[in-house]
Amino acid sequence: MRDGKSGKYIIIIGCGRLGAFLASSLSESKQNSVVVIDKKEEAFDRLGSSYSGFTIIADASEIETLRNAKIQKADVLVATTNHDNTNIMIAQIAKGFFNVPKVIARLTEPAKEKVYSELGIDTISPTALSAMEFYRIIMENGE
Ligand code: AMP
């Protein structure tokens, strides 16, 4: 894709709780083409029956896996494995080697966020987002 005219070609690494939810939601828009990669076959059980994308069983830290997923055509790559270092390594390859326009990595450790933003990699820390939401609700109810 990468032509801006049709939907997006999106690769999601890791079909855990976060990756599966994201993949299912994104595949609801029939314009998007979604591929989710996980090294464990049973991880794909988390995808809802309405999931209309593709699945690849492989270790996504191997470059061959990314090539098989046609990373050269991807508009977006989201790395959501449970390992920060794996996510960052894949994000760096996607950005620096394959020039994927939008790359986002899940980061459990919020303190590392600044370092990666300096490398041009967007990160999302579910830990920090949850803490902020808890804080907001606590303060709201405290009034
Ligand atoms: P969770 O523990 O719910 O955050 O899920 C993380 C998912 O990432 C699991 O399904 C793992 O099997 C998957 N995962 C971890 N490392 C890799 C990897 N190198 N390649 C592909 N999937 C991975």
Side-chain angles (χ1 to χ4, degrees):
M1 293 191 187
R2 289 201 192 183
D3 59 7
K5 290 179 195 134
S6 43
K8 293 184 191 305
Y9 181 42
I10 304 162
I11 300 178
I12 296 173
I13 313 293
C15 194
R17 288 150 286 194
L18 176 64
F21 188 82
L22 189 59
S24 298
S25 309
L26 287 167
S27 84
E28 275 172 24
S29 165
K30 299 297 172 215
Q31 284 189 330
N32 291 329
S33 184
V34 181
V35 179
V36 59
I37 305 173
D38 201 290
K39 57 184 179 182
K40 293 189 191 147
E41 188 171 7
E42 62 270 24
F44 300 116
D45 294 346
R46 296 188 178 104
L47 293 168
S49 54
S50 62
Y51 177 68
S52 59
F54 298 92
T55 56
I56 296 177
I57 309 162
D59 184 343
S61 60
E62 290 178 11
I63 212 149
E64 211 42 43
T65 302
L66 301 175
R67 284 193 208 280
N68 287 342
K70 302 199 169 34
I71 191 172
Q72 341 53 282
K73 293 189 185 170
D75 299 296
V76 183
L77 179 140
V78 190
T80 76
T81 80
N82 45 335
H83 305 290
D84 283 3
N85 291 344
T86 303
N87 293 338
I88 290 302
M89 186 194 76
I90 294 168
Q92 280 182 299
I93 294 170
K95 188 104 198 160
F97 192 69
F98 290 105
N99 296 313
V100 177
K102 191 174 242 338
V103 176
I104 312 162
R106 165 191 178 188
L107 206 53
T108 310
E109 178 49 73
K112 294 183 198 160
E113 221 157 356
K114 192 171 175 288
V115 179
Y116 298 115
S117 75
E118 282 166 8
L119 293 171
I121 295 167
D122 289 334
T123 54
I124 290 183
S125 168
T127 320
L129 287 180
S130 306
M132 283 191 288
E133 191 59 10
F134 277 114
Y135 181 90
R136 191 188 64 77
I137 293 167
I138 291 163
M139 298 315 279
E140 230 176 45
N141 292 343
E143 280 171 5

